[in-house]
Amino acid sequence: MPTVEELMDAPDAWYQVAQAQQLPTPVLLVFPQRVEHNIEQMLQVAGGPERLMPHVKTHKCPQVVQMQLDRGIRRFKAATVAEAEMTARLGPQEVMLATQPVGPHIQRLVQLARKYPQVHISTLVDCPQVVDQLAQAAQQAELELGVYIDVDPGLGRTGVPPGEAVQELFRRIGAQAGVRFAGLHVYDGHMGKLPPEKRPGLVDAIWQKLQPLLDWLDRAADAPYDVVAGGSPSFPHHARHPRATCSPGTTLYWDLGYGTRVPELKLQLAAVLLGRVLSRPADGRVTLDLGIKSLSPDQPRRAEVYGLVGAEMLLHNEEHYVLQPREPCPWPVGQIVYAVPYHICPTVALYDEVYVVREGQVVERWPVEARRRSLGV
Ligand SMILES: Cc1ncc(COP(=O)(O)O)c(C=O)c1O
């Protein structure tokens, strides 16, 4: 497994930007050439654009969806109706809301399908009542929604076991107008925590468990259906199964959490925080302006700072990130710093926009549009 030191090794200082002194930190920098590299890797690993349904929750950004559309990827997953709307506007083939819609989100999803009739709007379910509510709302709007059955492969977050409960949901979908069975959704977010060498066998075990169900569905379904499976740590293994459509998301920007735990993916870090030293309150203490409102606190280690790799975190407050470097640090107040988060997705969601860097220059800004909960519908 690569060490953090190896991942942060950057003799060419690729992350530095010429305008750093003028930028009001904290700022999130995105490097599109690195994002492009990551898209190529996703395509290679999955085996082609038709094998991918990437998640947009990592970047929440229309320009990053467009980069994937430009490479022939036509189907996307979204976590919120706003993410689905941002994506649908760009005219893909399909957008799946990969969170079961409940309450007003059912009507919002139907409104979205109405607003973008040329896009297949789909979602997932694990609850019979939601099937009924979706069917009713879609019938009233005179449209049809694709519905995936959410199968739990062991994460224990959502979904039903791969057996009778799936068959019941399948029949319930088939019995009503307004909803169409689109396939199975199998998200195994627990794979990231497991040692890399265990993942291939465990993914094969998921498919073995699914097989009787797939045999049954092949007989019962009157149209082809999909099996949408996996996130970053497992999609290389799902890709070996010809029926899988792979749905990684973090792969677009990458981060240190996955960088250390999923070494088999040759992805590049593509998003970096730019900050400043805010204070030197004591010898051996460096306080940065990367508080929890600009660097997500959801991981035990938040980030690594170029030049201070391995520094211990002493405090992480709303606007302050206090580090104890391993070696004496000469940085004065105002010093520019670059930091790579361990978990990029929740950090992105803290920013209204990202600063786009090409050849060491900030050239434009892109909105993190779907960080909002609602865009139109
Ligand atoms: C349902 C679902 N699908 C796909 C993904 C993408 O997984 P990853 O972040 O490992 O790429 C996620 C991540 O949270 C998810 O929740």
Side-chain angles (χ1 to χ4, degrees):
M1 297 251 249
T3 61
V4 164
E5 280 79 5
E6 283 162 356
L7 286 168
M8 295 287 287
D9 186 38
D12 59 348
W14 59 268
Y15 50 83
Q16 292 199 357
V17 289
Q19 303 96 324
Q21 296 300 341
Q22 286 81 55
L23 296 178
T25 54
V27 151
L28 182 60
L29 307 171
V30 164
F31 299 78
Q33 280 134 326
R34 290 178 158 252
V35 177
E36 268 160 28
H37 166 92
N38 292 346
I39 294 171
E40 291 310 320
Q41 290 297 308
M42 286 162 57
L43 286 165
Q44 265 187 32
V45 172
E50 67 291 345
R51 302 285 318 274
L52 280 167
M53 189 192 267
H55 210 311
V56 306
K57 53 108 200 184
T58 298
H59 50 82
K60 295 173 177 275
C61 174
Q63 282 84 351
V64 179
V65 175
Q66 189 61 52
M67 286 170 78
Q68 295 171 85
L69 284 167
D70 292 345
R71 291 297 289 112
I73 300 168
R74 312 224 28 95
R75 304 166 69 204
F76 297 89
K77 247 190 196 184
T80 65
V81 176
E83 288 177 9
E85 178 156 15
M86 171 194 87
T87 310
R89 206 185 62 218
L90 300 171
Q93 181 187 321
E94 177 178 355
V95 183
M96 182 215 286
L97 176 66
T99 314
Q100 175 164 247
V102 289
H105 299 307
I106 289 179
Q107 277 302 337
R108 292 181 71 207
L109 193 68
V110 166
Q111 278 174 38
L112 186 65
R114 223 188 199 158
K115 194 164 167 183
Y116 296 99
Q118 76 286 10
V119 180
H120 293 303
I121 300 292
S122 60
T123 188
L124 53 77
V125 294
D126 67 5
C127 169
Q129 285 71 36
V130 174
V131 175
D132 300 349
Q133 290 162 7
L134 279 168
Q136 209 180 356
Q139 282 167 35
Q140 274 165 11
E142 293 178 6
L143 51 82
E144 190 178 69
L145 294 170
V147 175
Y148 292 80
I149 298 173
D150 193 18
V151 177
D152 182 7
L155 174 60
R157 183 175 77 176
T158 61
V160 293
E164 233 167 76
V166 176
Q167 296 176 344
E168 271 170 36
L169 284 164
F170 172 83
R171 287 193 200 96
R172 194 127 178 170
I173 294 166
Q176 307 188 62
V179 284
R180 174 183 52 80
F181 175 65
L184 302 180
H185 174 263
V186 186
Y187 178 62
D188 50 2
H190 53 301
M191 292 284 176
K193 299 270 183 322
L194 301 171
E197 64 277 9
K198 289 213 159 152
R199 288 181 206 136
L202 288 168
V203 167
D204 289 346
I206 291 175
W207 283 90
Q208 260 171 27
K209 244 185 163 172
L210 284 177
Q211 196 53 54
L213 187 60
L214 297 176
D215 293 340
W216 185 86
L217 286 169
D218 287 346
R219 288 192 298 274
D222 50 16
Y225 61 91
D226 266 307
V227 183
V228 179
S232 302
S234 62
F235 89 97
H237 313 303
H238 285 291
R240 287 187 286 104
H241 293 266
R243 298 189 75 151
T245 298
C246 303
S247 58
T250 308
T251 38
L252 276 309
Y253 282 174
W254 214 225
D255 59 24
L256 288 180
Y258 274 165
T260 46
R261 284 184 276 123
V262 194
E264 62 271 32
L265 287 175
K266 303 293 170 229
L267 300 172
Q268 295 183 347
L269 298 168
V272 175
L273 290 169
L274 179 75
R276 281 190 172 82
V277 175
L278 209 54
S279 175
R280 296 296 313 260
D283 268 356
R285 277 189 185 221
V286 182
T287 301
L288 308 179
D289 57 359
L290 299 174
I292 63 176
K293 289 178 174 166
S294 42
L295 167 62
S296 169
D298 72 311
Q299 298 296 309
R301 270 193 88 75
R302 315 296 206 245
E304 297 292 346
V305 179
Y306 282 104
L308 291 189
V309 173
E312 190 189 334
M313 181 179 69
L314 299 176
L315 284 171
H316 201 197
N317 294 163
E318 289 179 47
E319 304 295 350
H320 303 83
Y321 180 42
V322 184
L323 295 174
Q324 184 172 45
R326 291 202 288 208
E327 282 156 23
C329 171
W331 291 353
V333 168
Q335 167 88 29
I336 288 286
V337 301
Y338 297 86
V340 185
Y342 275 84
H343 193 187
I344 190 65
C345 313
T347 293
V348 168
L350 299 170
Y351 290 85
D352 288 325
E353 55 189 8
V354 295
Y355 285 60
V356 179
V357 184
R358 290 186 194 272
E359 317 299 348
Q361 303 281 336
V362 173
V363 290
E364 59 183 316
R365 298 185 206 174
W366 290 345
V368 185
E369 191 177 299
R371 76 176 291 236
R372 291 174 53 189
R373 285 271 152 190
S374 165
L375 296 179
V377 301

